[in-house]
Amino acid sequence: MKRTTPRQFIGFQTALKRTLSKIKPLKVVEKALAESVGCVSAEKLRARVDSPSADVSMKDGYAVRSADIEGTLRNTAVRLRLDGVAAAGEKRRLAVGPGSAVRILTGALLPENADAVVAEEFAQCDDDHVSIEAHAEPGRNILGRGSDIAKDKVLIEAGHVLAPGMIGFLAAGGHDRIRTYRQPQVALIATGDELVLPGQPLTQGKLYASNMLTLAAWCRRYGFKTELDIIFDEESILKEKLLFGIKHNDAVITSGGAWSGDRDLMARVLDDLGWEKVYHRVRLGPGKAVGLWMFQGKPVFILPGGPPSNLVAFLQLALPGILKLAGCKTPGLRPIITKLTKTVEGQSDWTQAVFGFLQMKKDQSYFRPAKGSSRLRDLAEAEGLLLVPEGVTKIRAGQKAVVQLLI
């Protein structure tokens, strides 16, 4: 399918490149490690210690010299003298002598001369002796010093999101504070005389501002703070709210009024304010009315008001821009490679976005395009988003494609 595209439109990839080149990460702050989850690291960190700090037991059992229990290889139990108990956290280090064993608990220091740990299910304890019924070669059930984390090894590079698991990993490496990029605060402004805040009475002809709540939820998902506002389609009010939003936040995203109708005022107001226009109108469907302006290094994204257009424009251009503010190295939704269950049509000069669902069949993931019976339900339940690039008019069923995860 081919459509005639006005010259003032730019390609989606061009718009994305301009977005990421214009926006710079926010300032770096130092935070307690426990409070930095979801932030982006601003430094490379190396391990300050070995973890574990000494050879320890991985199981409850008996520390032995493997040479002393070779008789178990001939299905003969070996009886050893018990020389104490080693527990985790004890500073005193026991020793294993010839013909002896030490009862050892998980995490305890390995006794001197011991080179293996026999799990307790392969041993029978009898007062001050233990009968070992299975062999344990050197190193069995022992976690060597530095085997999890080796001192001076790189734990994390700059630009990585601090997931919960990484917080514990850095703590194990001896860190309690980390320098991260400051997380953005975003002003979300919905425009339209027909909009009503959820929770308020809904009169005939009015709509709840669901787009704004969806965008706020996406921002919160990444840990970004938000300010929400609904304003009427009046130029003086729009200017006032934009000036306030850009002064007190790191970015502004508007919803509605982005096209060129009589009540679509956002682009006109931004131009009147003299802010730098990066682009307006992108060959992206849905979402073509999206635009980006800059003011004193802060981005202002204007998004169309229709729910599919609003969400696509946000996910493909505004969200990567805000993630760049937060310091993300590869800003955007996480991609996976999957197969299509149904042929998808594209445009020769247009990037087409398709919402859909993911399913597994015999260890292979598949993407099933949404039917489109209800716009809002499809957006709410979609698990993935497929972009059909410009120049690709068709991706056939069974072919592989890159899908962005929404879950």
Side-chain angles (χ1 to χ4, degrees), residues 223-239:
F224 308 151
K225 295 180 180 179
T226 56
E227 281 188 357
L228 280 60
D229 204 353
I230 295 177
I231 55 178
F232 296 123
D233 290 319
E234 186 175 319
E235 287 192 39
S236 60
I237 298 176
L238 290 175
K239 286 182 179 179

Side-chain angles (χ1 to χ4, degrees), residues 271-282:
D271 287 338
D272 288 346
L273 288 171
W275 295 358
E276 178 192 0
K277 178 180 174 180
V278 181
Y279 58 80
H280 182 210
R281 300 175 184 172
V282 177

Side-chain angles (χ1 to χ4, degrees), residues 62-65 68 80-85 95-103 111 130 132:
Y62 298 88
V64 300
R65 303 192 315 171
D68 287 345
L80 301 174
R81 184 182 68 256
L82 273 179
D83 282 346
V85 178
V96 172
S100 71
V102 168
R103 170 69 171 157
V130 61
I132 305 297

Side-chain angles (χ1 to χ4, degrees), residues 122-193:
F122 301 111
Q124 296 290 333
C125 188
D126 178 20
D127 295 329
D128 57 354
H129 284 78
V130 61
S131 293
I132 305 297
E133 300 171 346
H135 187 64
E137 71 280 2
R140 172 65 67 90
N141 298 325
I142 294 173
L143 189 63
R145 175 175 179 169
S147 57
D148 280 334
I149 296 175
K151 185 178 180 180
D152 295 327
K153 291 294 185 181
V154 174
L155 300 177
I156 191 172
E157 299 281 356
H160 284 262
V161 178
L162 291 160
M166 181 57 70
I167 299 299
F169 186 61
L170 293 174
H175 294 276
D176 65 331
R177 301 187 67 80
I178 184 171
R179 297 173 72 245
T180 72
Y181 293 100
R182 185 169 63 79
Q183 288 186 302
Q185 178 165 307
V186 183
L188 298 173
I189 301 173
T191 68
D193 298 342

Side-chain angles (χ1 to χ4, degrees), residues 37-343:
V37 64
C39 297
V40 177
S41 63
E43 60 182 334
K44 176 192 290 188
L45 288 182
R46 294 180 180 274
R48 294 173 173 170
V49 297
D50 288 326
S51 181
S53 57
D55 294 346
V56 297
S57 177
M58 296 177 65
K59 289 190 175 183
D60 290 351
Y62 298 88
V64 300
R65 303 192 315 171
S66 59
D68 287 345
I69 59 170
E70 287 183 348
T72 58
L73 294 173
R74 298 183 294 273
N75 296 320
T76 302
V78 175
R79 187 172 171 82
L80 301 174
R81 184 182 68 256
L82 273 179
D83 282 346
V85 178
E90 289 184 346
K91 294 181 179 180
R92 181 175 63 98
R93 187 177 184 186
L94 301 178
V96 172
S100 71
V102 168
R103 170 69 171 157
I104 192 167
L105 304 181
T106 303
L109 280 174
L110 189 70
E112 291 183 21
N113 305 321
D115 63 359
V117 172
V118 177
E120 61 183 356
E121 58 264 32
F122 301 111
Q124 296 290 333
C125 188
D126 178 20
D127 295 329
D128 57 354
H129 284 78
V130 61
S131 293
I132 305 297
E133 300 171 346
H135 187 64
E137 71 280 2
R140 172 65 67 90
N141 298 325
I142 294 173
L143 189 63
R145 175 175 179 169
S147 57
D148 280 334
I149 296 175
K151 185 178 180 180
D152 295 327
K153 291 294 185 181
V154 174
L155 300 177
I156 191 172
E157 299 281 356
H160 284 262
V161 178
L162 291 160
M166 181 57 70
I167 299 299
F169 186 61
L170 293 174
H175 294 276
D176 65 331
R177 301 187 67 80
I178 184 171
R179 297 173 72 245
T180 72
Y181 293 100
R182 185 169 63 79
Q183 288 186 302
Q185 178 165 307
V186 183
L188 298 173
I189 301 173
T191 68
D193 298 342
E194 76 281 12
L195 297 179
V196 178
L197 274 172
Q200 300 297 316
L202 190 68
T203 56
Q204 188 173 8
K206 299 288 186 177
L207 291 170
Y208 284 123
S210 60
N211 286 346
M212 185 172 66
L213 271 293
T214 299
L215 302 188
W218 272 101
C219 288
R220 292 297 181 90
R221 181 176 185 174
Y222 289 96
F224 308 151
K225 295 180 180 179
T226 56
E227 281 188 357
L228 280 60
D229 204 353
I230 295 177
I231 55 178
F232 296 123
D233 290 319
E234 186 175 319
E235 287 192 39
S236 60
I237 298 176
L238 290 175
K239 286 182 179 179
E240 178 185 341
K241 291 296 184 179
L242 283 168
L243 289 167
F244 183 87
I246 207 70
K247 179 180 179 181
H248 296 281
N249 296 273
D250 302 300
V252 174
I253 299 176
T254 69
S255 178
W259 195 235
S260 54
D262 293 342
R263 306 299 291 273
D264 294 324
L265 305 175
M266 291 308 308
R268 187 190 315 168
V269 167
L270 287 164
D271 287 338
D272 288 346
L273 288 171
W275 295 358
E276 178 192 0
K277 178 180 174 180
V278 181
Y279 58 80
H280 182 210
R281 300 175 184 172
V282 177
R283 295 195 296 272
L284 174 67
K288 62 187 178 183
V290 61
L292 169 61
W293 277 253
M294 298 293 296
F295 179 70
Q296 296 180 349
K298 296 182 178 182
V300 180
F301 290 95
I302 68 171
L303 310 182
S309 298
N310 184 270
L311 186 56
V312 169
F314 172 79
L315 293 175
Q316 300 308 309
L317 291 169
L319 179 60
I322 305 303
L323 289 171
K324 179 72 179 292
L325 271 182
C328 285
K329 201 172 183 179
T330 54
L333 299 171
R334 185 164 69 91
I336 63 168
I337 297 177
T338 185
K339 287 186 177 181
L340 301 187
T341 63
K342 182 181 178 182
T343 298

Side-chain angles (χ1 to χ4, degrees), residues 14-24 278 324:
T14 299
L16 182 59
K17 288 178 181 177
R18 289 186 186 179
T19 298
L20 298 181
S21 66
K22 278 290 182 180
I23 296 175
K24 307 302 178 187
V278 181
K324 179 72 179 292

